[in-house]
């Protein structure tokens, strides 16, 4: 079976002010997404105005890192090599914000383990990571969901 | 019903197309100017007869790209009373709005597209394209902040294919049959860049790109341009071509806009919004559509349009296409056999032009001027261009003058 590898890190990540807390949390091994400080609705991707109440005040709580896989795509590192390594890009719905979707990279698994709606957990990554990385969560971590 | 005061008040009176090719070694502007001159000649209108212009381009910096300013300058159109940039299906809609509202009387729409560096391996090696691309990154996908962005615009569409297949418990036949249909039409179109028909087996055997999306799910990047002349239905009476009348239009939009990870449920995506807006303004219904042009940048766009337009229920396009399949010609025939889909081959066979070739093909079919390729029933055409995520247009055109 084809190897599942992480995204290759980019030479540099273009921070902008709006996404810095997301990157900083990832570097500390945590998932953080934007929440409105006024009406407390989570939203992704980061934006200036809350679409529910238009507040510009936001907060970036650290989440559990548990999530559900909404959907994904499998991409070969080299399209001409049908047996070679692939990366998996997807959308994860965090446990605390199930209606939002976080762009992510699925790692630490084999391709046949990946199914839509599977439970995920955040993987702590080294500095310079390029997206939230998740792996399949053990069945016991599914809780009551 | 929603208000639709522009119903049958505006007409397409000229259409012009360049050849399509993988490497024409020409600028966007050169392609656009050629198409514009052909459309004006087709309409029998010279540059002094144009008082509005809508050019393609995602860049607000129109000069240097084929935006309206550079097209206007190159054509030597001294004065216009209205000008705007647009892309995908919206440029056409903007021009009709402008003519109907009186901001101009006769409007030129010009759309140029080029095989960009991110579209193919050989394009990426081309130093000219590489240089040109550095000056074009003022909009759309491509920011390097991955907190917001997929690596390529194809990935979110591939991921949506995966979710669609999961939610409805279906395989990829809907996508595959759409690809086969468009390639069959392309094989009959001497202007198509790809003229080889395919089978469903060919589709399934094609190279995987972003699983589950395959090579044959994607349009063919080319260099090419289309242009149209649009004026009032009243003025069209005195012009040389049989007019093609705009019956109803809609532009769809949802809050999630361009943010491709903010995926809405399938039946809430932007195509559903556009189609609801169109049917609320149209005297015609789905069963009155003779010719249907669902945007095929990716096959999942076309399948979404089919379902959003109400041809079948959500998730049922695969079964529906099998029921509608013409085995002899290897094409779709909807509405009990009458309705052809994407004559000309669209982006998957004729070439990628942001859907502008769908408008051009529809206009020529409604004129009855397509010769051997002419559809038997060609009184109305539904053209829906855009993305599941952002700015889809839905336009219903009718043959001749409607009074
Ligand atoms: Zn709020």
């Amino acid at each position: 079976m084809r190897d599942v590898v992480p995204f290759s890190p980019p030479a540099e990540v273009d921070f902008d002010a709006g996404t810095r807390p997301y990157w900083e949390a990832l570097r500390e091994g945590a998932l953080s997404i934007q929440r409105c400080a006024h009406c407390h609705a989570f939203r992704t991707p980061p934006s200036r105005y809350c679409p529910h109440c238009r507040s510009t005040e936001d907060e970036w709580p650290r989440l559990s890192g548990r999530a559900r896989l909404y959907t994904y795509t499998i991409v070969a590192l080299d399209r001409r090599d049908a047996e070679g390594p692939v990366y998996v890009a997807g959308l994860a719905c965090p446990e605390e914000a199930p209606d939002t979707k976080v762009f992510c990279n699925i790692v630490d698994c084999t391709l046949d383990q990946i199914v839509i709606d599977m439970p995920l957990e955040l993987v702590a990554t080294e500095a310079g990571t390029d997206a939230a990385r998740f792996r399949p969560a053990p069945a016991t971590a599914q809780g009551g969901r | 019903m929603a208000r639709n005061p522009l119903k049958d008040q505006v007409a397409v009176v000229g259409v012009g197309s360049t050849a399509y090719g993988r490497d024409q070694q020409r600028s966007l502007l050169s392609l656009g100017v050629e198409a514009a001159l052909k459309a004006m000649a087709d309409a029998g209108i010279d540059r002094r007869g144009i008082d509005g212009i809508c050019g393609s381009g995602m860049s607000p910096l129109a000069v240097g790209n084929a935006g309206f300013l550079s097209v206007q300058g190159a054509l030597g159109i001294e004065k216009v009373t209205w000008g705007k940039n647009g892309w995908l299906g919206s440029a056409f809609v903007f021009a009709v709005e402008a003519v109907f509202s009186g901001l101009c009387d006769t409007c030129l729409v010009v759309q140029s597209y080029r095989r960009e560096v991110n579209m193919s391996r050989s394009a990426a090696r081309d130093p000219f394209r590489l240089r040109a691309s550095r000056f074009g990154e003022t909009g759309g996908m491509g920011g390097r902040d991955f907190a917001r962005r997929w690596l390529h615009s194809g990935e979110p569409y591939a991921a949506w294919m995966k979710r669609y297949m999961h939610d409805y418990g279906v395989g990829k036949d809907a996508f595959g049959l759409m690809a086969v249909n468009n390639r069959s039409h392309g094989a009959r179109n001497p202007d198509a860049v790809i003229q080889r028909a395919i089978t469903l087996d060919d589709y399934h055997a094609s190279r995987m790109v972003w699983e589950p999306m395959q090579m044959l799910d994607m349009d063919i990047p080319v260099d090419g341009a289309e242009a149209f002349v649009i004026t009032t239905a009243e003025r069209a009476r005195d012009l040389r071509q049989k007019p093609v009348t705009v019956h109803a239009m809609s532009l769809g939009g949802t809050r999630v806009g361009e943010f491709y990870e903010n995926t809405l449920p399938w039946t809430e995506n932007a195509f559903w919004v556009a189609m609801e807006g169109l049917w609320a303004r149209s005297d015609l219904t789905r069963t009155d559509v003779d010719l249907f042009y669902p945007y095929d940048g990716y096959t999942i766009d076309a399948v979404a349009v089919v379902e959003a337009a109400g041809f079948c229920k959500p998730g049922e396009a695969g079964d529906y296409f099998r029921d509608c399949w013409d085995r002899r010609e290897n094409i779709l025939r909807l509405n009990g056999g009458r309705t052809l889909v994407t004559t000309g081959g669209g982006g998957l066979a004729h070439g990628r032009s942001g859907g502008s070739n769908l408008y051009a093909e529809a206009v020529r079919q409604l004129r009855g001027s397509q010769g051997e390729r002419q559809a038997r029933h060609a009184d109305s055409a539904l053209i829906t261009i855009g993305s599941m995520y952002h700015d889809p247009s839905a336009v219903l055109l009718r043959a001749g003058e409607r009074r």
Side-chain angles (χ1 to χ4, degrees):
Chain A
M1 191 176 307
R2 304 179 73 172
D3 284 339
V4 176
V5 299
F7 290 160
S8 45
E12 58 182 306
V13 171
D14 266 0
F15 285 121
D16 69 34
T19 62
R20 184 172 290 278
Y22 165 87
W23 293 113
E24 286 174 352
L26 278 188
R27 289 181 174 196
E28 292 161 22
L31 180 67
S32 181
I33 66 172
Q34 191 181 28
R35 183 168 69 187
C36 175
H38 181 247
C39 77
H40 304 296
F42 283 103
R43 66 185 189 263
T44 53
S47 58
R48 181 88 176 105
Y49 292 93
C50 169
H52 307 287
C53 73
R54 294 184 299 286
S55 170
T56 56
E57 300 294 313
D58 64 1
E59 56 198 15
W60 290 77
R62 300 278 163 114
L63 308 184
S64 66
R66 287 189 295 275
R68 180 176 64 86
L69 181 61
Y70 184 75
T71 189
Y72 64 99
T73 176
I74 302 165
V75 187
L77 266 56
D78 180 352
R79 277 182 207 163
R80 292 163 301 185
D81 182 359
E83 303 301 320
V86 296
Y87 67 79
V88 180
L91 296 175
C93 306
E95 186 176 68
E96 297 86 346
D99 294 332
T100 66
K101 297 172 184 81
V102 177
F103 177 67
C104 70
N105 181 204
I106 308 297
V107 298
D108 293 352
C109 61
T110 56
L111 274 183
D112 60 357
Q113 282 180 279
I114 303 173
V115 287
I116 282 179
D117 290 338
M118 71 191 288
L120 299 170
E121 62 186 17
L122 190 75
V123 179
T125 49
E126 69 275 23
T129 189
D130 48 347
R133 285 182 190 167
F134 288 90
R135 68 178 162 226
T140 50
Q142 287 181 53
R145 305 179 65 228
Chain B
M1 286 292 278
R3 291 187 312 115
N4 188 20
L6 62 70
K7 183 173 75 183
D8 303 332
Q9 299 299 304
V10 175
V12 184
V13 296
V15 56
S17 311
T18 68
Y20 281 28
R22 291 194 181 226
D23 191 1
Q24 303 219 44
Q25 308 212 19
R26 292 173 62 183
S27 66
L28 287 170
L29 184 56
S30 151
L31 292 161
V33 165
E34 179 190 333
L37 290 171
K38 286 176 168 170
M40 289 156 67
D42 181 60
I45 287 176
D46 73 14
R47 60 185 175 168
R48 289 161 301 183
I50 300 291
D51 62 355
I53 189 161
C54 189
S56 69
M58 293 165 71
S59 167
L61 309 169
V63 177
N65 272 319
F68 76 89
L69 287 176
S70 53
V71 171
Q72 182 181 350
L75 291 172
I77 297 174
E78 293 297 327
K79 290 180 281 191
V80 296
T81 56
W82 180 83
K84 189 169 183 169
N85 276 349
W87 71 308
L88 288 174
S90 60
F92 185 98
V93 173
F94 295 159
V96 175
E97 289 170 9
V99 169
F100 174 71
S101 68
L103 289 173
C104 59
D105 285 327
T106 303
C107 187
L108 185 62
V109 181
V110 184
Q111 292 187 261
S112 310
Y113 286 84
R114 193 171 54 186
R115 193 170 62 112
E116 302 291 352
V117 288
N118 62 347
M119 289 176 184
S120 77
R121 200 172 287 273
S122 59
R125 280 196 298 262
D126 178 337
F128 171 77
R129 282 170 210 285
L130 209 54
R131 259 196 320 280
S133 73
R134 287 191 202 135
F135 303 99
E137 290 182 20
T138 48
M141 307 291 294
R144 282 182 295 162
D145 185 336
F146 295 117
R148 297 176 184 228
R149 294 301 185 199
W150 300 75
L151 305 192
H152 187 285
S153 77
E155 290 180 350
Y157 292 89
W160 240 123
M161 288 174 78
K162 194 87 186 173
R163 185 75 204 190
Y164 175 92
M165 293 160 66
H166 169 86
D167 284 351
Y168 296 110
V170 296
K172 286 158 72 172
D173 281 0
F175 311 114
L177 290 171
M178 181 60 73
V180 173
N181 173 82
N182 291 15
R183 291 286 294 263
S184 294
H185 282 294
R188 295 179 197 118
N189 180 2
D191 297 325
V193 166
I194 306 281
Q195 298 191 7
R196 190 174 61 80
I198 56 166
T199 64
L200 195 55
D201 287 343
D202 293 332
Y203 167 81
H204 287 300
S206 69
R207 182 186 289 170
M208 194 62 74
V209 182
W210 304 286
E211 189 183 330
M213 190 186 289
Q214 298 180 228
M215 211 63 168
L216 296 183
D217 286 305
M218 301 159 61
D219 61 7
I220 312 289
V222 294
D223 305 339
E226 304 283 351
F228 309 91
V229 178
I230 292 172
T231 191
T232 62
E234 186 180 4
R235 174 114 202 274
R237 276 176 217 151
D238 303 326
L239 296 173
R240 64 202 288 183
Q241 302 290 356
K242 172 184 170 183
V244 168
T245 307
V246 180
H247 180 69
M249 310 191 298
S250 171
L251 288 176
T254 63
R255 176 177 69 76
V256 306
E258 66 176 317
F259 293 115
Y260 283 45
E261 60 266 58
N262 244 340
T263 303
L264 288 168
W266 179 248
T267 57
E268 293 173 27
N269 79 43
F271 284 134
W272 263 263
V273 181
M275 289 311 311
E276 281 167 20
L278 181 80
W279 295 132
R281 286 164 176 79
S282 170
D283 293 347
L284 307 183
T285 64
R286 172 190 43 85
T287 53
D288 298 317
V289 172
D290 291 328
L291 297 159
F292 181 32
Y293 298 89
Y295 181 63
D296 61 346
Y298 300 112
T299 54
I300 190 169
D301 284 311
V303 168
V305 174
V306 169
E307 296 187 359
F311 282 95
C312 64
K313 292 203 180 79
E316 296 184 356
D319 289 341
Y320 176 65
F321 288 174
R322 289 201 174 281
D323 291 343
C324 297
W325 197 252
D326 178 332
R327 289 167 190 281
R328 195 172 56 82
E329 297 192 62
N330 253 347
I331 57 171
L332 290 165
R333 288 182 180 276
L334 314 184
N335 280 334
R338 177 174 110 183
T339 307
L340 297 176
V341 179
T342 315
T343 58
L348 297 178
H350 180 208
R352 175 189 189 275
S353 67
S356 58
N357 55 346
L358 303 182
Y359 284 124
E361 170 72 9
V363 166
R364 293 184 175 114
Q365 287 282 353
L366 294 175
R367 285 177 176 179
S369 64
Q370 287 297 58
E372 288 179 1
R373 294 204 298 109
Q374 179 60 44
R376 190 182 307 165
H377 303 286
D379 265 343
S380 65
L382 170 60
I383 305 106
T384 297
I385 295 167
S387 161
M388 294 155 53
Y389 297 95
H390 57 78
D391 57 340
S393 59
V395 172
L396 201 43
L397 301 178
R398 303 177 79 180
E401 189 184 0
R402 301 284 165 169
R403 279 196 259 195

